[in-house]
Amino acid sequence: MEHGDIELAPLLWFLGWAFAVGALFFAGLRLPLQTRFTSVKSLFYNIGVVAAALVVAALATTAIILHDIHIDLTREKIFTPSSQAMAVVDQLQRPVRLTYFYHGQDPEGRRIKDVLEVMGRRNSRLEVRTVDPDREPSLALSYGVRMSNVGILEAEGRKLLIQTTDERDIAIGIQRVLREKVITACFLEGHNEFPMDNFEFHTHVEGIAGHSHGDASSKLIQTAGHGIGRLRRALEAQGYETRKVILATSPSVPEICQVLIVANPRTTFLPAESAALEAYLQSGGSLFAMFDLGFVPEPRLAALIEKLGVRLAQEAVVDPLSHYSTDAEMVAVTVYDQNPMTANVSMTFYPGIRPLIPVQPKQGIRVAPLFSSSRDSYTRPVQPVGVREAGESSSAPRSRTDEVGPRLLAVAAEGQLPGAASESPRFRAVIVGDGDFASNSFLPYLSNGDLAMAMVRWLVREERSTAVANRIPVPPMILLSSAQMKAIFLLVEVLLPLSVIALGVMVWWRRR
């Protein structure tokens, strides 16, 4: 849910406060002003009434202060912080100061002011100060702020400037200002991977028949390749640094890389590159590998992947039961294995995905499945990427395997590789049989972006902190699964006309 529900406990405290105030009001109306007591008793009676009223008022006021409740009556809950932002505030263990500058005549500025003040009342470790520069120009001048809708986050001697009216960006900023070290995510290039500098996007399907694009989108955007720039931007919004790594020109993976992202390589690695990758994992590195259809690992890389507990099959998964839109090759996943990466992920989809064959991992390595296709899925063989890109996709085998059942699509591995020093930290790796789900064209849709970001957060060992998704602007679209489309068709095209006919028959029957 985007915004948090009203909490029951503060609501009960508020109702108790309202009852106490009502009781005082009722007592003020009903208690007699003149009594038949003696003068001394009347004095004690009056003192007792006043004391009781003060005690009730003090207790009610204290209760309402200690149990603050925020009620937002707008339909969109525009004055309520998102549940993700509130979770970040709840988890604060160290003090953070937020000084937010807004323009008093700007409705959006006043809205975020109210939202931030709700967040500040949530946890005493978050000190929120909202400032209108027109009223306090000296304070704005001391921070060097010359514009509105700007926040200055301060924690442990660090400062971070954020310009936004989205409380989720501010929640991400809180996490960034508390981070004690810089996290660097490296994108591997040199094998025709998705380039990190490419931000173009369009409808792209890596299916069994080859590489295709939607007609409607290709009329708008012409691009030679697909990028993963949106994932890069999402990582940078979380405060990560990004850089490009080309192993062909570097003897090893740079130590600064907390995670190495291999997004859809299309050409074979050199043996030295595979050796560098293995050495990186032996030293405790983290690998996010997305091996799409047709990629053929060279023998040393294949052996490394098998040490991690899987083997790449030259097949594509077809799922007639669970797929996106009407294409059975765009496998949709709604059920996941229990894992921190998939804990809060809803439906994701994969435009052409290869199955992973489980094998026995090396001793000391623990492998956990992340998700699989449905029970009705099967596979079809695909040709290696070199053959397919040479224009022979039309001759690609279209036969299917006889075996029907779930296919493993992604795994996570953790442990120590053979040959690693005993004092080396444990490596982490995530292997997915598809790279398109994280590309520019499909990252923003459904929960693809949430899953990709959760994988990266687990790999850089930040899975315990609250995940706050940053918004990726996308054209307005209505995305429906195959089952949802069938349900809408049944309701609109079948049941609704039948109901009109049934009503007509009923009217005729009663009036005949």
Side-chain angles (χ1 to χ4, degrees), residues 286-365:
S286 295
L287 173 66
F288 185 8
M290 294 171 275
F291 296 125
D292 217 315
L293 298 178
F295 171 70
V296 181
E298 61 92 21
R300 183 155 187 172
L301 179 60
L304 174 60
I305 297 172
E306 290 194 13
K307 291 178 183 177
L308 304 182
V310 292
R311 182 184 302 149
L312 303 182
Q314 290 298 339
E315 298 175 332
V317 179
V318 183
D319 196 332
L321 178 62
S322 180
H323 54 266
Y324 176 71
S325 189
T326 58
D327 190 349
E329 297 177 13
M330 302 181 73
V331 178
V333 175
T334 56
V335 179
Y336 304 86
D337 293 85
Q338 289 189 352
N339 193 282
M341 287 174 275
T342 57
N344 299 309
V345 176
S346 55
M347 190 171 86
T348 54
F349 71 102
Y350 305 87
I353 187 168
R354 70 195 306 166
L356 305 178
I357 301 174
V359 298
Q360 182 65 34
K362 285 294 183 182
Q363 187 176 5
I365 298 177

Side-chain angles (χ1 to χ4, degrees), residues 58-314:
L59 291 177
T61 304
T62 304
I64 201 65
I65 291 175
L66 295 179
H67 302 85
D68 180 38
I69 185 171
H70 170 75
I71 300 176
D72 186 352
L73 300 180
T74 60
R75 186 182 63 179
E76 296 81 7
K77 305 299 180 186
I78 60 175
F79 296 102
T80 302
S82 69
S83 56
Q84 294 174 330
M86 294 299 265
V88 171
V89 175
D90 288 340
Q91 290 185 347
L92 274 181
Q93 299 295 325
R94 290 171 286 175
V96 176
R97 173 187 292 177
L98 168 61
T99 306
Y100 190 83
F101 297 89
Y102 72 102
H103 195 278
Q105 303 301 320
D106 180 14
E108 186 63 14
R110 295 199 303 271
R111 184 199 69 82
I112 190 63
K113 167 184 175 293
D114 294 338
V115 169
L116 294 177
E117 288 176 348
V118 172
M119 294 170 62
R121 292 196 296 269
R122 181 82 166 196
N123 191 333
S124 60
R125 293 186 177 89
L126 178 61
E127 179 185 348
V128 175
R129 181 170 49 172
T130 52
V131 179
D132 185 345
D134 292 339
R135 297 184 177 182
E136 300 182 65
S138 59
L139 185 59
L141 187 63
S142 65
Y143 279 99
V145 174
R146 300 178 182 275
M147 60 185 75
S148 301
N149 301 331
V150 170
I152 307 293
L153 286 160
E154 301 173 82
E156 300 174 349
R158 296 183 289 272
K159 285 187 178 180
L160 180 67
L161 184 146
I162 296 178
Q163 184 178 7
T164 181
T165 56
D166 190 335
E167 74 275 7
R168 291 185 297 185
D169 291 339
I170 293 175
I172 294 174
I174 292 174
Q175 293 179 327
R176 291 176 59 185
V177 78
L178 290 174
R179 192 172 289 148
E180 297 177 350
K181 63 179 180 181
V182 177
I183 295 178
T184 303
C186 298
F187 289 82
L188 182 65
E189 294 190 10
H191 315 89
N192 288 336
E193 291 93 346
F194 290 149
M196 60 177 284
D197 298 323
N198 186 326
F199 295 93
E200 296 179 345
F201 58 90
H202 54 155
T203 303
H204 156 230
V205 176
E206 185 73 18
I208 293 175
H211 190 85
S212 64
H213 305 267
D215 290 339
S217 58
S218 61
K219 292 176 181 176
L220 301 176
I221 300 174
Q222 297 291 335
T223 177
H226 304 274
I228 201 166
R230 278 179 159 173
L231 178 60
R232 172 192 171 187
R233 282 283 183 261
L235 295 174
E236 291 174 342
Q238 298 287 332
Y240 299 168
E241 291 190 353
T242 58
R243 61 176 294 179
K244 184 187 306 181
V245 171
I246 301 177
L247 282 180
T249 59
S250 175
S252 61
V253 179
E255 294 182 359
I256 196 174
C257 297
Q258 268 84 22
V259 58
L260 181 66
I261 300 174
V262 183
N264 193 23
R266 310 310 289 165
T267 59
T268 304
F269 284 46
L270 297 173
E273 294 176 310
S274 300
L277 197 59
E278 184 169 4
Y280 171 67
L281 293 180
Q282 286 175 335
S283 63
S286 295
L287 173 66
F288 185 8
M290 294 171 275
F291 296 125
D292 217 315
L293 298 178
F295 171 70
V296 181
E298 61 92 21
R300 183 155 187 172
L301 179 60
L304 174 60
I305 297 172
E306 290 194 13
K307 291 178 183 177
L308 304 182
V310 292
R311 182 184 302 149
L312 303 182
Q314 290 298 339

Side-chain angles (χ1 to χ4, degrees), residues 361-373:
K362 285 294 183 182
Q363 187 176 5
I365 298 177
R366 185 174 61 87
V367 181
L370 295 180
F371 53 87
S372 305
S373 56

Side-chain angles (χ1 to χ4, degrees), residues 385-426:
V385 63
V387 177
R388 300 166 67 214
E389 292 185 350
E392 300 180 10
S393 58
S394 58
S395 61
R398 300 292 297 174
S399 60
R400 50 165 290 181
T401 57
D402 295 330
E403 184 182 356
V404 176
R407 298 299 200 279
L408 181 64
L409 304 179
V411 298
E414 184 176 11
Q416 278 193 321
L417 280 172
S422 57
E423 66 274 10
S424 297
R426 297 161 64 86

